[in-house]
Structures are given as C-alpha cells and as structure tokens.
C-alpha cells in the first residue's frame, strides 16, 4: 500500500510521531522490583512535561497584562505539573488517583518470582505509564484483556473525562465491551476483513445498518450486534425486511453503501479539504526526540539502576560471599608455593594459581547474564517509545558495577596474593589487582553483551558457556605448548 499520511497537515518526517502519540500495548512489561508509584514517576521523568512549561509562561504573561490574580491552589498545581526532571511528580499522583491505583501505589509490581499487584492493576499501570507523558494522541490495544467489565467501565469512563477536559484523542480497541462501556464512546470505527465498514458518531451506527435491512433486537448489546452483523454465519438472524427474501450482504457492499450514507459523505467532504497548517497549535506536534536533556536522562536512569541494585542486593551479597569462599579454597590449595631460583620446574604451580583465579573471576560475571535477559523486554519497550536512548540504559549499569568489581577483585587479591606466595613487591601486588579488576569488568560486560545478542535464556546460556570454553582452551594453561 502506498500513499501519504499526514497528521495536522504535517508529514511524519516533520515531527516525532512516537512522542506525539502513545501506544498502549496489551502486554504488561514492567520491572517487578519497582513499586507502582516508582514506575509511573520514572516514566513521567523520562517523557518530560512537553509544552506545559511554555503554556504556563504564556498564561502568566497574559494574566499580568490583564491584571488577573490567579487562584493560589490552581497556580500551585500548574507550576508543579510544569516542572521537568522531578523525581516524583504531581501528574503521576493524579493518574494514580484516577486509575484507582492509589491503594496499591507502594506495592511492588511483581513478576514470576515476586508477589505483586493483581493482573487488572498491572493493566492499569501499563495505561498509566503512557498517560503521565505529554502525548496528545493515545492508541490503546485491547486494554480490557484480563479485566472484569466493571473495571473496564471505570477506566474508559476516566478516559472519556480526560478526552473532554484535556482535548486529547484516544483510539481504543476493546474485546466484547459491556453495553455501559460501549455507551461511553463518541465515535465508533467498525473494521471487518481489513476494511472500514463504519466510522463516525455512535448515534448513527444502528441507523446505517437499518438502511441495509438489519435491525438490532431490543435486548441485544449493540457491540455484540456490530460484531455479528458483518459475519456470514450470524448475519441472517438480524434481517428485518419481511417482504423481501434474505441474501448475504458482503463486507465490500457494506463499504460501498457507507460511502453513500450521510455519515460517510460528510466524512468524505471533510477529508477532501487539505488541513490548513496555520491552524495548528504549536503544542500538538513534538519536535524533540527525547523529553529531557541527556544529563537528566542519565540521572533518571542512574537513579533507577541504583534502586534496582538495592532491590536485588541479595544477588550481589551472594556473589561477594561466593568469591570470598573460593579465594579461601584457592589459597589453601596453593599455600606458600615456592620456586627455586634459576629453575622453572615449579612455575606451572603459579600458572595454575593464576588460571584458577582467572576462571573464578570470569564465572563471577555469569550472574549478569540472567539479570540482563530479565530486563531486556522492558528496555526494548521503553527505548522504542523514546523514553531514553540505549546509552542512557547501559552507561549507569557500567558505572555502578565499577565499585563492585573493585570490591570483588580486592577480596580475592587480599586473601590470595601473599598466602600463595607471589612476588612480595607492592608494585606487582597492585599490578595483579589492576589485571583482575580489568578481567572482572570485561567478564561483566562480556556476559551483558552475550545476553543482548542472545535475547533468550537458552541461546544466551549456550553462547556464554561456549565463550568460557574458548577462554579455558586459549588461556595457555590447559593446552600448554612444549
């Protein structure tokens, strides 16, 4: 299909569509270790405040000119929502309240291993994550999956208020909505076999089908009727022209009839006239790729990474304990190794000690593999929605692992260097410390890289083990040259 798509008269390369609109998926991808409030706060911090700051500046200027004294509460609310880069924001509190998430705002989202919030609440978090941003067009993909009809009704009712108050556009696809939920919509788009059967006000949809001879029975939900009336199997039961025999009306006939129906004609007339670019509000299109500056993005991702490290602290404590135990074993195996001057016969023992150290430090980085794979789905989602660029995700992880590397290589060196009996000069001690620190950093980065390439646990584990085998074989100890 070829053609030209415009939004407010502008083509897609003239603005950033991913930030002007927001897509809300039916899959809930979140960090299980973060609470609901932290998830929304992070999202609001990355997406920024959009044009709220400029609007407030303009409003204040006009108020001064007209001599109006603003209401202090409204003024405080507007100033609070226009501040960019805040750790917590008023907007996320507002969204929490409206979505009914305030009761579980300080509970962790949860995942396969952690108990967290319920499925319905998770769905609402997915919706709320996008609502805190400044996007003006929202596309929601089956947000009712896994929700009961009353929850769906409450969410859609809130969406309706939001559309009418904030002048946003929402396109929501729903699975078998209840009649009450259906009645909340202003317009209906009915799709069948890839064609638009009807698009326009909710009030005229029954009139359209009646003009073709199909009537919705009195106690039937309109949404169910609309789903069935275009299908070959269920169409006949709605035929209402008793004096005429029934014959199947295909989708293409429906489409043809819609073009001559008054709603279709009106729509056609509207779309024929190109949109006047001068009428567009500057706030309607987003021109910047990211909501906040690079430094603010780094700070936001750094804060989140530190939080996730604290929540996963058991892993890091366990790894440190593990390397301590292994270093004790290492120095008891190679205790007080000596080498006669001028002979290299005992040199292999030192080789062995160094190789054993190398393997342990390498294996210690393996935990990074699982941790990274666990977090990739959320990263891909947030990167594609332009929350942050890839470097803002990767850089804080690397920075925060440096102290960890120093600690773990420090423990190993302190416990093994003099007990095994390497050369006692301080310069050599620090040189080995530096080498081990470098190896540990390399191992962490290597396994992170393998996780990013493999993307699934099985592929990444296979690649990871293969890499370790390569290191063993080429380490110069297992296969020593004569």
């Amino acid at each position: 299909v070829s053609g030209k798509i415009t939004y407010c008269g502008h083509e897609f390369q003239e603005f950033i569509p991913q930030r002007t609109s927001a897509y809300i998926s039916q899959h809930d991808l979140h960090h299980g270790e973060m609470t609901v409030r932290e998830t929304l706060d992070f999202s609001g911090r990355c997406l920024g405040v959009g044009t709220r700051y400029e609007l407030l500046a303009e409003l204040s200027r006009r108020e001064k000119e007209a001599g109006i004294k603003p209401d202090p509460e409204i003024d405080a609310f507007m100033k609070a929502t226009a501040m960019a880069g805040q750790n917590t924001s008023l907007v996320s509190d507002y969204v929490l309240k409206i979505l009914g998430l305030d009761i579980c705002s300080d509970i962790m989202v949860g995942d396969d291993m952690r108990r967290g919030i319920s499925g319905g609440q998770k769905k609402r978090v997915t919706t709320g994550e996008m609502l805190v941003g400044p996007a003006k067009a929202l596309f929601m993909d089956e947000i009712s999956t896994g929700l009961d009809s009353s929850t769906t009704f409450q969410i859609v009712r809130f969406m309706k208020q939001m559309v009418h108050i904030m002048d946003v556009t929402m396109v929501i696809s729903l699975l078998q909505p209840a009649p009450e939920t259906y009645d909340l919509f202003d317009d209906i788009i009915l799709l069948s076999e890839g064609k638009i059967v009807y698009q326009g006000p909710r009030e005229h949809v029954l009139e359209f089908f009646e003009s073709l001879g199909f009537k919705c029975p009195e106690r039937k939900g309109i949404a169910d009727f609309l789903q069935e009336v275009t299908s070959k199997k269920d169409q006949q039961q709605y035929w209402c022209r008793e004096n005429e025999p029934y014959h199947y009306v295909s989708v293409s006939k429906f489409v043809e009839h819609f073009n001559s129906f008054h709603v279709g004609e009106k729509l056609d007339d509207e779309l024929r006239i190109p949109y006047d670019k001068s009428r567009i509000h500057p706030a309607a299109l987003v021109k910047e790729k990211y909501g906040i500056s690079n430094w603010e993005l780094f700070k936001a991702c750094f804060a989140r990474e530190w939080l996730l490290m604290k929540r996963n602290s058991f892993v890091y404590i366990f790894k440190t304990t593990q390397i301590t135990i292994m270093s004790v074993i290492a120095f008891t195996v190679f205790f007080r190794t000596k080498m006669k001057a001028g002979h290299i016969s005992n040199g292999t023992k030192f080789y062995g000690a160094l190789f054993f150290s190398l393997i342990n430090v390498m294996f210690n980085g393996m935990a990074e593999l699982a941790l990274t794979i666990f977090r990739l789905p959320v990263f891909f989602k947030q990167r594609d929605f332009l929350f942050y660029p890839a470097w803002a995700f990767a850089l804080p992880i690397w920075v925060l692992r440096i102290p960890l590397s120093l600690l773990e290589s420090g423990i190993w060196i302190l416990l093994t260097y003099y007990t095994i009996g390497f050369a006692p000069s301080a310069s050599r001690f620090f040189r080995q410390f530096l080498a081990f620190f470098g190896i540990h950093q390399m191992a962490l980065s290597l396994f992170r890289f393998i996780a990013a390439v493999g993307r699934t646990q099985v592929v990444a584990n296979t690649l990871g083990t293969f890499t370790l085998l390569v290191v063993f074989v080429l380490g110069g100890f297992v296969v020593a040259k004569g």
Side-chain angles (χ1 to χ4, degrees):
V1 176
S2 64
K4 195 168 78 171
I5 300 175
T6 60
Y7 176 68
C8 295
H10 289 260
E11 285 187 52
F12 276 12
Q13 63 269 20
E14 293 175 50
F15 65 103
I16 310 279
Q18 295 95 317
R19 281 184 39 78
T20 301
S21 63
Y23 169 72
I24 294 165
S25 162
Q26 63 187 113
H27 303 295
D28 308 316
L29 299 171
H30 303 289
H31 286 304
E33 306 95 18
M34 288 168 78
T35 66
V36 173
R37 187 186 297 276
E38 284 160 357
T39 305
L40 293 196
D41 278 339
F42 176 75
S43 169
R45 193 173 171 183
C46 285
L47 291 171
V49 293
T51 50
R52 288 183 213 137
Y53 185 81
E54 289 87 26
L55 285 171
L56 183 66
E58 176 64 15
L59 182 69
S60 303
R61 192 182 62 74
R62 290 190 191 180
E63 278 174 348
K64 268 183 193 156
E65 281 175 11
I68 300 168
K69 201 173 186 314
D71 178 281
E73 283 184 13
I74 295 175
D75 193 48
F77 175 77
M78 284 192 72
K79 279 176 181 161
T81 56
M83 288 291 283
Q86 296 293 319
N87 295 359
T88 59
S89 71
L90 205 59
V91 180
S92 51
D93 286 347
Y94 173 64
V95 171
L96 280 171
K97 187 89 184 136
I98 295 169
L99 287 175
L101 289 169
D102 47 344
I103 49 167
C104 62
S105 63
D106 295 320
I107 298 172
M108 284 192 196
V109 175
D111 47 47
D112 302 346
M113 300 300 288
R114 274 187 180 81
R115 261 198 74 186
I117 56 177
S118 71
Q121 288 167 332
K122 233 174 233 179
K123 263 264 148 316
R124 286 183 258 178
V125 173
T126 308
T127 309
E129 197 177 25
M130 288 301 162
L131 291 181
V132 292
K136 290 281 175 204
L138 295 142
F139 299 91
M140 308 191 180
D141 184 6
E142 291 190 5
I143 53 164
S144 57
T145 315
L147 296 182
D148 57 275
S149 52
S150 70
T151 313
T152 310
F153 173 72
Q154 283 168 355
I155 293 180
V156 176
R157 191 177 62 186
F158 149 64
M159 300 295 181
K160 182 177 181 175
Q161 286 175 344
M162 200 164 165
V163 166
H164 289 244
I165 295 166
M166 296 183 174
D167 272 345
V168 295
T169 306
M170 286 190 187
V171 180
I172 307 177
S173 70
L174 286 179
L175 218 58
Q176 295 172 310
E180 304 82 36
T181 312
Y182 170 81
D183 290 338
L184 293 171
F185 286 89
D186 299 319
D187 292 289
I188 299 294
I189 299 176
L190 183 63
L191 297 166
S192 185
E193 294 174 20
K195 294 177 180 148
I196 294 179
V197 176
Y198 177 87
Q199 178 191 344
R202 191 189 76 237
E203 296 79 40
H204 299 305
V205 68
L206 291 180
E207 180 196 331
F208 166 66
F209 283 106
E210 274 173 31
S211 67
L212 277 156
F214 298 100
K215 194 174 171 60
C216 177
E218 272 179 22
R219 299 185 66 172
K220 178 91 178 170
I222 299 173
D224 294 341
F225 163 73
L226 293 178
Q227 279 174 3
E228 290 173 4
V229 76
T230 52
S231 88
K232 203 167 191 171
K233 200 169 75 208
D234 303 314
Q235 202 183 66
Q236 190 170 356
Q237 57 182 323
Y238 300 117
W239 184 251
C240 64
R241 293 180 185 164
E242 286 158 12
N243 50 358
E244 290 176 36
Y246 163 76
H247 55 87
Y248 170 65
V249 179
S250 66
V251 172
S252 46
K253 277 186 189 154
F254 275 125
V255 176
E256 216 174 285
H257 183 70
F258 177 66
N259 291 335
S260 58
F261 187 63
H262 68 89
V263 176
E265 283 178 344
K266 190 180 167 208
L267 191 70
D268 211 31
D269 293 341
E270 277 177 23
L271 294 178
R272 273 220 180 92
I273 308 155
Y275 191 84
D276 180 15
K277 281 189 183 182
S278 61
R279 277 173 49 212
I280 182 178
H281 192 287
L285 299 174
V286 182
K287 301 281 196 330
E288 270 84 44
K289 197 170 180 187
Y290 297 105
I292 44 178
S293 66
N294 285 351
W295 174 240
E296 286 292 335
L297 278 170
F298 175 74
K299 271 172 35 182
C301 291
F302 188 87
R304 182 183 66 165
E305 188 53 42
W306 175 237
L307 180 81
L308 290 171
M309 266 185 86
K310 282 194 292 191
R311 298 272 157 88
N312 281 324
S313 56
F314 172 75
V315 177
Y316 302 106
I317 294 166
F318 182 79
K319 274 172 66 187
T320 313
T321 315
Q322 183 188 23
I323 208 159
T324 310
I325 295 167
M326 289 312 286
S327 57
V328 170
I329 292 170
F331 83 70
T332 49
V333 170
F334 296 99
F335 193 64
R336 307 303 293 159
T337 305
K338 288 185 176 67
M339 186 166 140
K340 284 181 190 151
H343 293 270
I344 56 162
S345 54
N346 285 3
T348 48
K349 292 176 189 171
F350 284 105
Y351 248 156
L354 283 169
F355 185 70
F356 185 65
S357 311
L358 169 85
I359 287 174
N360 266 298
V361 172
M362 285 282 290
F363 261 119
N364 201 259
M366 199 114 184
E368 207 65 25
L369 191 89
L371 283 171
T372 307
I373 283 181
F374 205 56
R375 295 179 50 186
L376 278 180
V378 183
F379 160 69
F380 286 128
K381 175 184 112 169
Q382 295 185 337
R383 182 202 63 183
D384 294 346
F385 289 161
L386 299 185
F387 275 48
Y388 47 74
W391 65 261
F393 170 78
L395 204 60
I397 299 181
W398 173 68
V399 171
L400 281 164
R401 296 297 187 273
I402 291 174
L404 209 70
S405 281
L406 286 169
L407 174 73
E408 293 185 5
S409 4
I411 288 172
W412 186 274
I413 290 283
L414 285 170
L415 288 172
T416 62
Y417 192 84
Y418 289 108
T419 44
I420 289 176
F422 288 111
S425 68
S427 65
R428 294 204 173 191
F429 172 86
F430 284 112
R431 229 176 277 171
Q432 193 175 333
F433 175 57
L434 189 68
F436 275 27
F437 167 72
I439 288 167
H440 194 258
Q441 274 289 307
M442 183 279 303
L444 293 176
S445 305
L446 174 73
F447 287 116
R448 267 202 300 280
F449 170 71
I450 289 169
V453 170
R455 293 193 184 189
T456 59
Q457 198 78 47
V458 179
V459 177
N461 276 336
T462 314
L463 279 172
T465 324
F466 175 70
T467 318
L468 281 178
L469 282 172
V470 170
V471 171
F472 292 170
V473 173
L474 305 179
F477 179 72
V478 183
V479 186
K481 197 176 175 188

